[in-house]
Amino acid sequence: MLKFMCLGSGSSGNAYFLFSENFGILIDAGIGVRALKKYFRAMGKSLADINAILITHDHADHIKSVGVLAKEYSLPVYATKKVHEGINRNYSVTTKLSQDFVHYIEKEHAFVLGGFRIEAFDVPHDSSDNVGYSITYEDVNFCLLTDVGHISDNIPAYISAANYLVLEANHDTNMLAMGPYPAHLKERISGGLGHLNNQTAAEVLVNNMTEKLRHVWLCHLSEENNHPELARKTVTAHLRSYGIVLGKDVGLDVLKRRIPSEIFELR
């Protein structure tokens, strides 16, 4: 059976664990190793249960522990060439990746690890490069989309194929506009290479979800410019306006910034 757990989601650090009985994939490594060890112990596992790391992009909150994890557990790290170059340059990665652990991937070129079919696809963001992941295990498709500046033409097809979807809902537009951030940061967040807001996330779901979609997790919420209940209500109301009922037609959870989620079984 395929299972999923979020270890943390937001600018404080991002990491997601997708695993079967025999193989575990960590998507992003932006949380400290000590915290990761604690979270894995709490679910009856250890970091030795990770078999590979996938990286979405090279911002610190997604990569700061990748060098330590790769070195201590001899883990292959999969990312595009530009992302690997960004990891190597990033000041937050104090333990640099040995070339032995560097594995290059290409967007829209699927590869297989431990029975998982993995396909990276382009996601617009102001990093060196950024990808989402569409991952299929047996007959279940899991899709992760974070740090999304806007919904480019290639993205809807991956959402439509998903049974389970992790989707960014970073900020509420009114909270961002009225909040304390300087103008240049507000422009960066709301711009086409920034982050997806609650309303756009809701619209994306309505426009692209199919009957195959069983559960959605909203991720990467801003601490200053959003609130879990606000994100949930915005998405719920928009879905309801189109006759889509949460709990009946699709499940929804909001991932916390610093607290691990429960373990979800993806059937």
Side-chain angles (χ1 to χ4, degrees):
M1 180 183 295
L2 186 61
K3 297 182 180 181
F4 166 69
M5 182 180 185
C6 172
L7 291 313
S9 180
S11 58
S12 302
N14 299 269
Y16 308 90
F17 190 49
L18 187 66
F19 59 104
S20 66
E21 184 178 350
N22 301 311
F23 201 86
I25 297 172
L26 188 71
I27 306 176
D28 286 340
I31 295 174
V33 173
R34 185 178 301 176
L36 286 175
K37 286 180 179 178
K38 175 184 174 183
Y39 299 156
F40 270 67
R41 279 198 305 269
M43 66 170 162
K45 290 188 168 290
S46 76
L47 297 186
D49 292 309
I50 302 171
N51 299 102
I53 301 174
L54 307 179
I55 299 295
T56 58
H57 64 291
D58 61 337
H59 284 169
D61 56 324
H62 294 259
I63 61 169
K64 61 188 176 186
S65 296
V66 67
V68 175
L69 285 171
K71 181 180 180 180
E72 290 190 4
Y73 296 92
S74 299
L75 291 172
V77 178
Y78 295 83
T80 67
K81 188 172 189 295
K82 287 181 180 179
V83 169
H84 269 301
E85 290 169 350
I87 291 171
N88 193 50
R89 290 191 304 265
N90 196 297
Y91 71 92
S92 72
V93 183
T94 53
T95 300
K96 299 303 180 184
L97 280 176
S98 162
Q99 196 61 38
D100 294 339
F101 305 129
V102 172
H103 293 260
Y104 297 121
I105 63 175
E106 294 184 28
K107 298 170 188 176
E108 300 184 17
H109 285 247
F111 60 102
V112 176
L113 294 174
F116 291 79
R117 181 189 182 276
I118 302 164
E119 184 173 339
F121 56 94
D122 187 66
V123 174
H125 190 53
D126 59 356
S127 50
S128 298
D129 200 5
N130 188 31
V131 302
Y133 285 104
S134 177
I135 302 174
T136 302
Y137 181 78
E138 296 180 347
D139 59 349
V140 176
N141 180 270
F142 172 90
C143 182
L144 184 140
L145 271 163
T146 187
D147 296 65
V148 188
H150 65 277
I151 301 300
S152 49
D153 291 343
N154 64 309
I155 289 176
Y158 291 98
I159 296 176
S160 296
N163 302 120
Y164 296 91
L165 174 67
V166 178
L167 177 66
E168 179 177 55
N170 175 259
H171 61 278
D172 173 76
T173 53
N174 291 330
M175 285 184 69
L176 178 64
M178 301 300 292
Y181 282 5
H184 71 89
L185 187 52
K186 291 179 180 181
E187 290 173 3
R188 181 242 162 189
I189 291 169
S190 61
L193 294 177
H195 292 275
L196 212 61
N197 65 62
N198 295 340
Q199 185 64 32
T200 302
E203 292 168 359
V204 168
L205 279 175
V206 165
N207 292 339
N208 299 289
M209 65 184 289
T210 69
E211 292 181 355
K212 294 186 296 184
L213 187 63
R214 299 166 195 163
H215 204 99
V216 177
W217 295 274
L218 302 180
C219 74
H220 213 292
L221 272 68
S222 169
E223 192 166 32
E224 296 82 7
N225 304 305
N226 209 350
H227 187 276
E229 276 309 303
L230 178 57
R232 182 191 300 276
K233 287 178 179 178
T234 301
V235 172
T236 299
H238 195 69
L239 293 179
R240 189 187 299 122
S241 71
Y242 283 83
I244 302 166
V245 180
L246 289 179
K248 177 184 175 184
D249 299 314
V250 66
L252 178 72
D253 280 285
V254 181
L255 299 176
K256 294 181 172 62
R257 294 170 56 83
R258 298 182 180 89
I259 301 174
S261 71
E262 64 181 280
I263 297 174
F264 297 93
E265 295 182 350
L266 312 187
R267 299 178 181 272

Short mmCIF file of all heavy atoms in Angstrom, two decimals, residues 28-29 34 54 61 68-69 72 99 101 122 127-128 156 162 174 178 185 187 194 200 202 218 220 223 228 238 256:
data_model
loop_
_atom_site.label_atom_id
_atom_site.label_comp_id
_atom_site.label_asym_id
_atom_site.label_seq_id
_atom_site.Cartn_x
_atom_site.Cartn_y
_atom_site.Cartn_z
N ASP A 28 11.90 16.88 -1.23
CA ASP A 28 12.47 18.07 -0.59
C ASP A 28 13.03 17.75 0.80
O ASP A 28 12.57 16.83 1.48
CB ASP A 28 11.49 19.23 -0.55
CG ASP A 28 11.30 19.88 -1.92
OD1 ASP A 28 12.18 19.69 -2.79
OD2 ASP A 28 10.29 20.58 -2.12
N ALA A 29 14.04 18.51 1.16
CA ALA A 29 14.76 18.27 2.41
C ALA A 29 15.10 19.61 3.05
O ALA A 29 16.27 19.95 3.24
CB ALA A 29 16.03 17.46 2.14
N ARG A 34 17.81 16.70 12.72
CA ARG A 34 17.38 16.32 14.06
C ARG A 34 15.85 16.25 14.15
O ARG A 34 15.30 15.30 14.72
CB ARG A 34 17.91 17.34 15.08
CG ARG A 34 17.61 16.96 16.53
CD ARG A 34 18.19 17.97 17.48
NE ARG A 34 19.63 18.07 17.34
CZ ARG A 34 20.39 18.94 18.01
NH1 ARG A 34 19.84 19.79 18.86
NH2 ARG A 34 21.70 18.95 17.83
N LEU A 54 13.98 13.44 -3.89
CA LEU A 54 13.62 14.27 -5.04
C LEU A 54 13.57 15.72 -4.58
O LEU A 54 13.03 16.01 -3.52
CB LEU A 54 12.24 13.88 -5.60
CG LEU A 54 11.96 12.42 -5.94
CD1 LEU A 54 10.53 12.28 -6.46
CD2 LEU A 54 12.94 11.89 -6.97
N ASP A 61 14.46 26.67 1.96
CA ASP A 61 13.44 25.95 2.72
C ASP A 61 13.06 24.62 2.09
O ASP A 61 12.19 23.91 2.61
CB ASP A 61 12.20 26.83 2.92
CG ASP A 61 11.59 27.34 1.63
OD1 ASP A 61 12.34 27.65 0.70
OD2 ASP A 61 10.36 27.46 1.55
N VAL A 68 23.55 16.80 4.09
CA VAL A 68 23.76 15.96 5.28
C VAL A 68 23.07 14.62 5.12
O VAL A 68 23.63 13.56 5.40
CB VAL A 68 23.27 16.68 6.55
CG1 VAL A 68 23.37 15.76 7.75
CG2 VAL A 68 24.05 17.96 6.78
N LEU A 69 21.83 14.63 4.67
CA LEU A 69 21.08 13.39 4.48
C LEU A 69 21.76 12.48 3.46
O LEU A 69 21.91 11.27 3.69
CB LEU A 69 19.65 13.69 4.03
CG LEU A 69 18.68 14.21 5.08
CD1 LEU A 69 17.39 14.66 4.42
CD2 LEU A 69 18.39 13.14 6.13
N GLU A 72 25.14 11.13 5.10
CA GLU A 72 25.00 10.21 6.23
C GLU A 72 24.30 8.91 5.86
O GLU A 72 24.56 7.87 6.47
CB GLU A 72 24.25 10.90 7.37
CG GLU A 72 25.04 12.01 8.05
CD GLU A 72 24.38 12.50 9.32
OE1 GLU A 72 23.33 11.94 9.73
OE2 GLU A 72 24.91 13.46 9.91
N GLN A 99 29.54 14.16 -5.76
CA GLN A 99 29.08 13.83 -7.11
C GLN A 99 28.48 12.43 -7.17
O GLN A 99 27.64 12.14 -8.03
CB GLN A 99 30.24 13.95 -8.10
CG GLN A 99 29.82 14.00 -9.57
CD GLN A 99 28.92 15.19 -9.89
OE1 GLN A 99 29.13 16.29 -9.38
NE2 GLN A 99 27.93 14.99 -10.76
N PHE A 101 26.31 11.23 -5.34
CA PHE A 101 24.89 11.25 -4.99
C PHE A 101 24.06 12.13 -5.94
O PHE A 101 22.86 12.23 -5.77
CB PHE A 101 24.72 11.74 -3.55
CG PHE A 101 25.50 10.95 -2.55
CD1 PHE A 101 26.32 11.58 -1.62
CD2 PHE A 101 25.45 9.56 -2.54
CE1 PHE A 101 27.05 10.85 -0.70
CE2 PHE A 101 26.18 8.82 -1.62
CZ PHE A 101 26.98 9.46 -0.71
N ASP A 122 7.57 21.08 -15.45
CA ASP A 122 7.93 22.47 -15.17
C ASP A 122 6.86 23.20 -14.37
O ASP A 122 5.66 23.08 -14.65
CB ASP A 122 8.15 23.22 -16.50
CG ASP A 122 8.71 24.61 -16.27
OD1 ASP A 122 9.84 24.72 -15.79
OD2 ASP A 122 7.98 25.60 -16.56
N SER A 127 13.14 30.57 -8.85
CA SER A 127 14.31 29.82 -8.43
C SER A 127 15.14 29.50 -9.67
O SER A 127 14.74 29.84 -10.79
CB SER A 127 13.88 28.54 -7.72
OG SER A 127 12.93 27.84 -8.51
N SER A 128 16.27 28.82 -9.49
CA SER A 128 17.07 28.44 -10.66
C SER A 128 16.26 27.60 -11.63
O SER A 128 16.43 27.69 -12.85
CB SER A 128 18.31 27.66 -10.22
OG SER A 128 19.13 28.45 -9.39
N PRO A 156 -2.29 21.72 -15.95
CA PRO A 156 -3.61 21.09 -15.80
C PRO A 156 -3.65 19.59 -16.08
O PRO A 156 -4.37 18.85 -15.40
CB PRO A 156 -4.48 21.87 -16.79
CG PRO A 156 -3.87 23.24 -16.80
CD PRO A 156 -2.39 22.99 -16.72
N ALA A 162 -4.36 13.11 -11.44
CA ALA A 162 -4.06 12.77 -10.05
C ALA A 162 -5.23 12.10 -9.32
O ALA A 162 -6.38 12.50 -9.47
CB ALA A 162 -3.65 14.03 -9.29
N ASN A 174 -6.06 39.49 0.10
CA ASN A 174 -6.34 40.66 0.95
C ASN A 174 -5.36 40.76 2.11
O ASN A 174 -4.89 41.85 2.45
CB ASN A 174 -7.78 40.61 1.46
CG ASN A 174 -8.79 40.82 0.37
OD1 ASN A 174 -8.53 41.53 -0.61
ND2 ASN A 174 -9.96 40.21 0.51
N MET A 178 -2.79 43.93 2.65
CA MET A 178 -2.91 44.76 3.84
C MET A 178 -1.83 44.47 4.88
O MET A 178 -1.76 45.15 5.91
CB MET A 178 -4.29 44.54 4.49
CG MET A 178 -5.47 44.86 3.58
SD MET A 178 -5.48 46.58 3.03
CE MET A 178 -5.82 47.42 4.59
N LEU A 185 8.31 42.86 -1.88
CA LEU A 185 8.08 41.46 -1.50
C LEU A 185 6.64 41.05 -1.82
O LEU A 185 6.39 39.93 -2.26
CB LEU A 185 8.37 41.27 -0.01
CG LEU A 185 8.32 39.83 0.52
CD1 LEU A 185 9.20 38.90 -0.31
CD2 LEU A 185 8.75 39.81 1.99
N GLU A 187 4.94 42.20 -4.28
CA GLU A 187 4.93 42.02 -5.73
C GLU A 187 5.56 40.69 -6.12
O GLU A 187 5.09 40.00 -7.03
CB GLU A 187 5.66 43.18 -6.40
CG GLU A 187 4.92 44.50 -6.30
CD GLU A 187 5.73 45.67 -6.83
OE1 GLU A 187 6.85 45.43 -7.33
OE2 GLU A 187 5.25 46.82 -6.75
N GLY A 194 5.92 33.85 -8.33
CA GLY A 194 5.88 33.82 -6.88
C GLY A 194 5.15 32.61 -6.35
O GLY A 194 5.60 31.47 -6.53
N THR A 200 -6.95 31.25 -6.37
CA THR A 200 -6.46 30.62 -7.59
C THR A 200 -6.35 29.11 -7.41
O THR A 200 -6.68 28.34 -8.32
CB THR A 200 -5.10 31.20 -8.01
OG1 THR A 200 -5.23 32.62 -8.19
CG2 THR A 200 -4.62 30.60 -9.31
N ALA A 202 -8.21 27.30 -5.54
CA ALA A 202 -9.59 26.80 -5.61
C ALA A 202 -10.06 26.71 -7.06
O ALA A 202 -10.69 25.73 -7.47
CB ALA A 202 -10.51 27.70 -4.80
N LEU A 218 -3.65 21.09 0.91
CA LEU A 218 -3.16 22.45 0.63
C LEU A 218 -1.84 22.63 1.37
O LEU A 218 -1.73 22.34 2.56
CB LEU A 218 -4.18 23.48 1.09
CG LEU A 218 -5.57 23.37 0.47
CD1 LEU A 218 -6.50 24.46 1.01
CD2 LEU A 218 -5.52 23.42 -1.06
N HIS A 220 2.22 24.77 1.85
CA HIS A 220 3.06 25.96 1.80
C HIS A 220 2.29 27.25 2.15
O HIS A 220 2.43 28.28 1.51
CB HIS A 220 3.73 26.10 0.42
CG HIS A 220 5.08 26.73 0.47
ND1 HIS A 220 5.28 28.05 0.80
CD2 HIS A 220 6.31 26.24 0.23
CE1 HIS A 220 6.57 28.34 0.74
NE2 HIS A 220 7.23 27.24 0.42
N GLU A 223 2.71 32.11 6.95
CA GLU A 223 2.38 32.36 8.35
C GLU A 223 1.79 33.75 8.53
O GLU A 223 0.91 33.97 9.37
CB GLU A 223 3.63 32.21 9.21
CG GLU A 223 3.35 32.16 10.69
CD GLU A 223 4.55 31.67 11.48
OE1 GLU A 223 5.69 31.93 11.06
OE2 GLU A 223 4.34 31.03 12.53
N PRO A 228 -4.85 28.62 8.11
CA PRO A 228 -5.38 27.33 7.64
C PRO A 228 -6.88 27.31 7.42
O PRO A 228 -7.36 26.79 6.40
CB PRO A 228 -4.96 26.36 8.76
CG PRO A 228 -3.72 26.97 9.32
CD PRO A 228 -3.93 28.46 9.25
N HIS A 238 -15.62 27.67 -2.87
CA HIS A 238 -15.56 27.69 -4.33
C HIS A 238 -15.98 26.34 -4.90
O HIS A 238 -16.73 26.29 -5.89
CB HIS A 238 -14.14 28.04 -4.79
CG HIS A 238 -14.06 28.42 -6.24
ND1 HIS A 238 -14.61 29.58 -6.73
CD2 HIS A 238 -13.51 27.77 -7.30
CE1 HIS A 238 -14.40 29.65 -8.03
NE2 HIS A 238 -13.73 28.55 -8.40
N LYS A 256 0.27 21.60 7.89
CA LYS A 256 0.82 22.58 8.83
C LYS A 256 2.27 22.88 8.53
O LYS A 256 3.00 22.07 7.96
CB LYS A 256 0.66 22.06 10.26
CG LYS A 256 -0.79 21.95 10.71
CD LYS A 256 -0.89 21.45 12.14
CE LYS A 256 -2.34 21.52 12.64
NZ LYS A 256 -3.24 20.69 11.86
#
